[in-house]
């Protein structure tokens, strides 16, 4: 959950000299950043440093990260004609640096902790491509989804095909688990999820599962979607803090593992409240096998790094 990033001085130091995309595109930099949290925190896995949006560029949807504003897509996908122009890509040709980063990381990690690869789910990727950046209402995304369902499904088909292969390529390069981020899927209700997102996400999760590595399936705001998300697939379902962990697990089913779900803003508050929150998550997991303790979403840039160090340590102790 953005375990590498701006809350760490060593990351900010590197970012002062390189843009985010430069770091993503240069394996030696991406390797260094991936290892920063592994070297500092008691964490049980490394997550590849990259970004969800990297596949957009080779698909003909270029973007940049604007200072303080997040991603900006230069020519958003707004019509059926725009969807027709979206290209497929072959990860081994278009994003070889990501695969190189994975190969080097496996060497550098020397089995200390496993390495997680990742990619975005079609709904979340489509929402960036269509909105042109972050959104509150997903109005344009839903306008295309409801108004031009054929174009919507074609766009998601293109993402699903490309991303499925991208995840397989990451596993071939050495990723020992993969996570599919459907970060903004909570914008949909269960019926729309089943109609407009599930079949496409399933295709990606099936392809990832065929490699044999564990597959994590994450979203936020998903309290009403958990059964359907589990149906779509994933050995592990990642949940945010808006639903108590035990309740979420019941909905997901005890044949699946669960990842979560401490509110990351607790890291900004007093220590007793943070520890109480962590204890509550662990109590709700009830010592059942198959719980991965994690935050419910990304660490915020203003988070004091010593709190994160302490949380990782305390989670193990508890
Ligand atoms: O967790 C990790 O350590 C791995 C690195 C990672 C990044 N992005 C680096 C990054 C991962 C797993 C991602 C995934 C990602 N990217 C998601 C899904 C996960 C989630 O948070 O739900 C999404 C939605 C994106 C798209 C994205 N990238 C946005 C919206 C932003 C801007 C937000 C912000 O906080 O400014 C980014 C930038 C980004 N990607 C940063 C990092 C560390 C912040 C970067 C910086 O400017 O240095």
């Amino acid at each position: 959950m953005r375990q590498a990033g701006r809350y760490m001085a060593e990351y900010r130091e590197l970012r002062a000299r390189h843009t985010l995309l430069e770091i993503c595109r240069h394996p030696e930099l991406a390797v260094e950043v991936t290892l920063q949290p592994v070297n500092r925190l008691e964490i049980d896995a490394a997550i590849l440093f990259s970004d969800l949006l990297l596949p957009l560029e080779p698909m003909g949807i270029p973007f940049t990260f604007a200072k303080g504003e997040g991603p900006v897509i230069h020519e958003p996908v707004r019509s059926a004609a725009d969807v027709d122009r979206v290209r497929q890509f072959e990860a081994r040709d278009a994003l070889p640096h990501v695969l190189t980063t994975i190969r080097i990381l496996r060497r550098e990690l020397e089995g200390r902790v496993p390495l997680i690869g990742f990619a975005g789910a079609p709904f979340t990727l489509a929402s960036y491509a269509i909105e042109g950046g972050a959104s509150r209402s997903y109005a344009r995304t839903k306008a295309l989804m409801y108004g031009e369902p054929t174009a919507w499904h074609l766009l998601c088909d293109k993402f699903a095909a490309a991303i499925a292969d991208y995840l397989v390529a990451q596993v071939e390069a050495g990723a020992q688990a993969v996570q599919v981020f459907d970060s903004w899927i909570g914008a949909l209700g269960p019926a729309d999820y089943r109609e407009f997102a599930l079949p496409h996400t399933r295709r990606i999760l099936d392809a990832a599962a065929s490699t044999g590595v564990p597959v994590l399936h994450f979203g936020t705001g998903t309290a009403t979607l958990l059964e359907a998300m589990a149906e779509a697939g994933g050995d592990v379902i990642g949940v945010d803090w808006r639903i108590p962990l035990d309740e979420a697990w019941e909905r997901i089913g005890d044949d699946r593992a669960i990842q979560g779900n401490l509110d990351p803003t607790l890291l900004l508050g007093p220590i007793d409240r943070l520890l109480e929150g962590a204890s509550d998550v662990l109590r709700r997991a009830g010592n059942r096998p198959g719980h991965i303790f994690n935050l419910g979403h990304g660490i915020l840039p203003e988070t004091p790094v010593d709190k994160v160090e302490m949380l990782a340590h305390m989670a193990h102790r508890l």
Side-chain angles (χ1 to χ4, degrees):
M1 290 301 151
R2 276 174 251 152
Q3 64 186 19
R6 288 162 294 185
Y7 76 105
M8 283 193 163
E10 49 273 49
Y11 177 82
R12 290 193 301 271
E13 198 267 319
L14 203 90
R15 266 289 270 123
R17 291 180 281 123
H18 303 280
T19 66
L20 175 62
L21 287 176
E22 271 167 19
I23 300 175
C24 292
R25 285 173 186 148
H26 291 90
E28 70 284 4
L29 300 176
V31 166
E32 184 180 340
V33 176
T34 304
L35 295 176
Q36 286 173 347
V38 178
N39 292 334
R40 191 190 257 262
L41 311 168
E42 276 180 42
I43 45 174
D44 301 303
I47 180 157
L48 166 72
F49 193 84
S50 179
D51 196 83
L52 194 84
L53 301 179
L54 289 196
L56 293 185
E57 175 117 64
M59 296 184 80
I61 313 170
F63 66 94
T64 44
F65 283 102
K67 220 176 159 58
E69 285 174 49
V72 179
I73 284 81
H74 302 312
E75 289 168 47
V77 174
R78 295 275 160 83
S79 65
D82 292 343
V83 171
D84 284 335
R85 281 193 288 274
V86 174
R87 295 194 298 267
Q88 284 300 353
F89 79 103
E90 160 48 61
R92 294 157 197 86
D93 298 332
L95 299 172
H97 46 277
V98 176
L99 306 176
T100 304
T101 302
I102 292 174
R103 284 187 207 100
I104 301 173
L105 276 168
R106 280 300 301 280
R107 235 181 12 245
E108 300 260 322
L109 282 165
E110 296 178 309
R112 267 192 292 166
V113 289
L115 176 66
I116 307 174
F118 74 91
F123 178 87
T124 291
L125 288 171
S127 78
Y128 281 108
I130 296 166
E131 302 291 337
S135 173
R136 263 177 187 283
S137 62
Y138 299 92
R140 289 184 157 118
T141 305
K142 292 183 178 185
L144 188 84
M145 200 176 85
Y146 297 131
E148 302 203 55
T150 308
W152 167 265
H153 285 296
L154 178 61
L155 178 62
C156 288
D157 265 344
K158 290 185 177 189
F159 280 129
I163 296 298
D165 180 58
Y166 181 40
L167 286 176
V168 170
Q170 290 186 36
V171 174
E172 284 169 3
Q176 291 153 293
V178 289
Q179 175 146 327
V180 172
F181 285 98
D182 209 353
S183 303
W184 312 130
I185 194 62
L188 298 185
D192 283 349
Y193 177 76
R194 284 201 158 84
E195 180 175 353
F196 294 108
L198 188 152
H200 305 291
T201 305
R202 174 179 278 154
R203 186 164 162 200
I204 291 177
L205 294 167
D206 283 351
S210 75
T211 65
V213 305
V215 179
L216 305 98
H217 181 191
F218 170 81
T220 69
T222 57
T224 62
L225 302 179
L226 291 172
E227 292 90 343
M229 282 178 71
E231 228 173 278
D235 301 293
V236 184
I237 307 295
V239 295
D240 76 10
W241 62 92
R242 293 175 179 89
I243 178 167
L245 190 98
D246 45 348
E247 223 177 280
W249 210 343
E250 221 173 282
R251 283 162 168 265
I252 289 162
D254 53 18
D255 61 328
R256 305 300 173 92
I258 190 167
Q259 173 176 278
N261 70 341
L262 191 72
D263 186 337
T265 57
L266 280 170
L267 287 160
L268 307 177
I271 282 175
D272 4 334
R273 189 137 196 142
L274 172 65
L275 293 182
E276 183 38 48
S279 306
D280 184 60
V281 168
L282 291 165
R283 239 187 338 263
R284 290 176 189 279
N287 275 324
R288 277 172 291 173
H291 173 227
I292 300 169
F293 179 83
N294 202 344
L295 300 176
H297 205 183
I299 302 182
L300 297 163
E302 59 270 39
T303 303
V305 71
D306 55 323
K307 288 259 187 62
V308 186
E309 284 176 289
M310 196 193 59
L311 175 63
H313 179 70
M314 286 311 294
H316 280 137
R317 292 273 307 271
L318 289 165

